[in-house]
């Protein structure tokens, strides 16, 4: 057996599922947000949000420092994008 974190999926709780949905939603919005003037930057930011959401949705752990950084990024984007 492998000892990789990718082989140790765990059940997805309500909190992780909600966080994954929120990250996907913000990732989708970022791609259309005119406040990020360079489309490549918006695309890469969206990619980070979607990739983290996929990990959470599949029951895989995300290192706490990375998770905090992605939450902070998503929160800042959410505040910036609100009318």
């Amino acid at each position: 057996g492998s000892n990789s974190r990718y082989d140790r999926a765990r059940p997805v709780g309500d909190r992780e599922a909600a966080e994954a949905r929120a990250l996907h939603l913000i990732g989708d919005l970022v791609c259309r947000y005119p406040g990020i003037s360079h489309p490549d930057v918006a695309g890469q930011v969206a990619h980070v949000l979607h990739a983290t959401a996929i990990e959470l949705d599949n029951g895989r752990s995300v290192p706490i420092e990375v998770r905090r950084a992605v939450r902070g990024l998503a929160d800042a984007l959410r505040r910036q994008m609100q009318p």
Side-chain angles (χ1 to χ4, degrees):
S2 174
N3 201 20
S4 170
R5 74 180 183 90
Y6 293 104
D7 294 336
R8 295 189 310 253
R10 56 180 171 42
V12 178
D14 292 340
R15 183 177 177 183
E16 285 86 6
E19 186 175 355
R21 281 191 304 275
L23 290 173
H24 278 305
L25 177 64
I26 294 168
D28 290 341
L29 293 172
V30 162
C31 288
R32 296 186 303 268
Y33 178 59
I36 300 176
S37 59
H38 202 285
D40 288 342
V41 172
Q44 289 302 311
V45 169
H47 181 72
V48 168
L49 296 171
H50 286 301
T52 304
I54 289 167
E55 292 295 298
L56 292 173
D57 225 10
N58 285 320
R60 293 190 290 259
S61 63
V62 175
I64 192 68
E65 298 84 6
V66 173
R67 197 163 172 182
R68 282 184 187 144
V70 171
R71 280 182 186 160
L73 173 62
D75 214 30
L77 287 165
R78 182 187 51 77
R79 286 191 308 269
Q80 174 90 21
M81 292 187 291
Q82 284 183 344

